[in-house]
Amino acid sequence: KALQELSNKRIKWSEKLNRLSLDLPAGIWFNEIALTPKTFTLKGSVISLEKQEIGVINRFIGNLKGDAAFFKDFGCLELGPLQRRVIAGYEVVDFILVATLK
């Protein structure tokens, strides 16, 4: 019984990474993924030819929160600071998402 409880509490990170990929809108890419005992942090960037970078980020967050298989092990998912920069004439927005583990 104790082994089954431990197994049920274990997070399958390969599945989480797969869900991240499936929930990812076009124009977003990941720069860094970090894990601590209490948080999961994703640093990424987004580009939108329609100048809708914030909308693309919000759609990604909505996709993750709506994905029960991804979100079930997290208490919340928060958007951290945004930073705009220009690369080869295109505006890119860097963002940070922080999810608190249950």
Side-chain angles (χ1 to χ4, degrees), residues 34-74:
L35 182 65
T36 69
K38 295 184 181 188
T39 61
F40 171 79
T41 304
L42 186 147
K43 294 181 181 180
S45 299
V46 61
I47 188 169
S48 170
L49 299 178
E50 297 84 23
K51 306 287 185 202
Q52 298 295 319
E53 296 89 358
I54 306 304
V56 175
I57 293 169
N58 286 333
R59 186 171 57 226
F60 181 46
I61 292 169
N63 291 349
L64 294 176
K65 286 183 174 180
D67 184 343
F70 177 82
F71 200 67
K72 67 180 180 179
D73 298 305
F74 300 110

Side-chain angles (χ1 to χ4, degrees), residues 6-60:
L6 284 174
S7 179
N8 289 340
K9 290 181 183 179
R10 195 177 105 195
I11 297 174
K12 296 177 182 172
W13 289 104
S14 61
E15 291 177 10
K16 297 285 186 212
L17 294 174
N18 185 49
R19 298 307 308 173
L20 279 173
S21 174
L22 294 173
D23 293 333
L24 189 67
I28 290 184
W29 65 92
F30 304 142
N31 299 316
E32 181 180 331
I33 296 175
L35 182 65
T36 69
K38 295 184 181 188
T39 61
F40 171 79
T41 304
L42 186 147
K43 294 181 181 180
S45 299
V46 61
I47 188 169
S48 170
L49 299 178
E50 297 84 23
K51 306 287 185 202
Q52 298 295 319
E53 296 89 358
I54 306 304
V56 175
I57 293 169
N58 286 333
R59 186 171 57 226
F60 181 46

